Amino acid sequence: MIKISLSTVSDIIRSVAAEQIMPRFRKLTEGDVEMKSANDPVTIADKESERHLSEHLQRYLPGSVVVGEESFAKDKAIMDHVGREHPVWIIDPIDGTRNFVAGIPEFAVMVALVVKKQSVAAWIHDPNSDDMIMGEQGSGIWLRGKKLKLAGADPTIPTVGLVGARVKKLISDPSVMPQAQDLPPIEIGSCAGFDYPRLFSGEVNFANSEKPRAGFLLYRHTNAWDHVPGLFLHREAGGYSANWAGEPYDMTQNLSGLLFAPSKDVWMRLHASFEPLIRHTLQKAP
């Protein structure tokens, strides 16, 4: 059994964000931004954040390997590490890079520790507020020393549903959006690092957000660095999730779709409501 300190890893994440991300926020020059593909920027802050996180985390846990968004962009075979014996850090050095480039303060650092494809701990950090949601297997999830719960599991908490922005771009026929009367209002998400925290409620909200809590999330793209940390935290809080085929999430697949709900019963009802949208989306190019 791997023993780690949630607070030590939190300190590493905070330190790297303070030194490599925040000094560059709203101060990027033209040479600091590249395009990996259309509408998919990467910045010097992404690269330096991942490089420093990798160095610190591997030093903290000898023998571990890092699978980061930027390292995967260079070498797809790096994902093979997630099924092997050694522990693997899944890293998104800046989730919400488009927001970061645009000067919008909704971006996060996301980290998960995985052993043989099973997540054992995760962290989501907002460098602007310094907030950190974290948890390890069997401990629940925590923010500022306060335990969080699933907002969607509490009928007294008003919620919305969040749909990933990339799903919205694939909807050419508005009639495929669910019309079920028992669904909460549906909003388009910001980025995974700010969508997942909206699933949780407690005495405090991540990043001091005043946005309504979320009862469910629906995503098309399922890259590991975007979803492994949030999926783990959601499960630790008691939630249920599966891909669009109703199967357990496979972190090596990036287009299987994901639906998150407070329970399996709620998941089944949501999946039925979203089935026309899911069929419509699957017919579109990724």
Side-chain angles (χ1 to χ4, degrees):
M1 182 72 176
I2 294 175
K3 291 191 179 293
I4 56 160
S5 164
L6 287 177
S7 60
T8 298
V9 176
S10 296
D11 290 344
I12 290 171
I13 296 169
R14 283 192 167 103
S15 175
V16 170
E19 294 173 5
Q20 304 301 327
I21 297 175
M22 291 311 293
R24 296 179 167 102
F25 183 46
R26 295 174 176 162
K27 296 178 182 176
L28 294 170
T29 64
E30 185 176 348
D32 290 336
V33 184
E34 303 171 18
M35 299 302 294
K36 290 188 287 188
S37 61
N39 204 33
D40 190 11
V42 60
T43 72
I44 184 65
D46 293 85
K47 295 176 181 178
E48 289 301 298
S49 173
E50 184 167 315
R51 183 170 72 85
H52 284 266
L53 282 169
S54 299
E55 291 175 358
H56 287 296
L57 292 172
Q58 287 179 293
R59 189 180 305 127
Y60 170 67
L61 187 59
S64 61
V65 174
V66 170
V67 173
E69 179 175 7
E70 308 316 325
S71 59
F72 177 82
K74 294 179 180 178
D75 179 13
K76 303 289 189 293
I78 198 170
M79 186 58 73
D80 295 341
H81 285 289
V82 299
R84 296 177 182 167
E85 294 290 329
H86 46 249
V88 176
W89 300 99
I90 305 286
I91 294 176
D92 194 339
I94 300 180
D95 182 76
T97 298
R98 286 190 293 275
N99 288 343
F100 181 76
V101 171
I104 300 170
E106 287 196 2
F107 53 88
V109 181
M110 303 177 71
V111 176
L113 181 60
V114 173
V115 180
K116 297 180 183 178
K117 282 192 176 183
Q118 297 297 314
S119 304
V120 296
W123 300 257
I124 299 179
H125 175 53
D126 169 33
N128 284 281
S129 68
D130 200 40
D131 267 350
M132 181 90 65
I133 294 181
M134 56 185 166
E136 61 183 328
Q137 204 165 34
S139 75
I141 62 171
W142 302 82
L143 171 63
R144 301 184 217 166
K146 308 291 185 181
K147 195 169 186 178
L148 301 179
K149 63 181 181 180
L150 278 181
D154 186 341
T156 68
I157 298 176
T159 61
V160 299
L162 291 181
V163 172
R166 291 184 178 180
V167 173
K168 181 177 183 293
K169 291 177 183 178
L170 296 173
I171 299 173
S172 57
D173 179 4
S175 70
V176 302
M177 288 295 288
Q179 307 296 321
Q181 305 233 338
D182 57 345
L183 285 181
I186 296 175
E187 296 182 3
I188 303 304
S190 171
C191 64
F194 266 68
D195 293 348
Y196 278 108
R198 291 178 65 182
L199 288 168
F200 311 119
S201 64
E203 294 181 35
V204 291
N205 283 343
F206 182 76
N208 301 309
S209 174
E210 296 182 358
K211 292 181 179 180
R213 301 296 86 196
F216 66 84
L217 295 181
L218 180 81
Y219 290 111
R220 169 68 167 121
H221 286 242
T222 54
N223 292 315
W225 42 88
D226 290 326
H227 297 291
V228 172
L231 188 148
F232 171 80
L233 295 170
H234 179 255
R235 187 178 66 220
E236 276 299 300
Y240 180 84
S241 62
N243 69 17
W244 286 359
E247 301 164 343
Y249 172 63
D250 181 346
M251 61 185 69
T252 65
Q253 303 298 314
N254 64 1
L255 280 173
S256 58
L258 271 172
L259 176 60
F260 295 82
S263 67
K264 186 173 183 179
D265 286 346
V266 175
W267 189 97
M268 296 293 289
R269 292 198 299 271
L270 287 168
H271 189 267
S273 296
F274 276 101
E275 189 174 3
L277 183 149
I278 288 172
R279 286 201 312 268
H280 176 85
T281 303
L282 291 174
Q283 293 170 359
K284 300 290 182 176

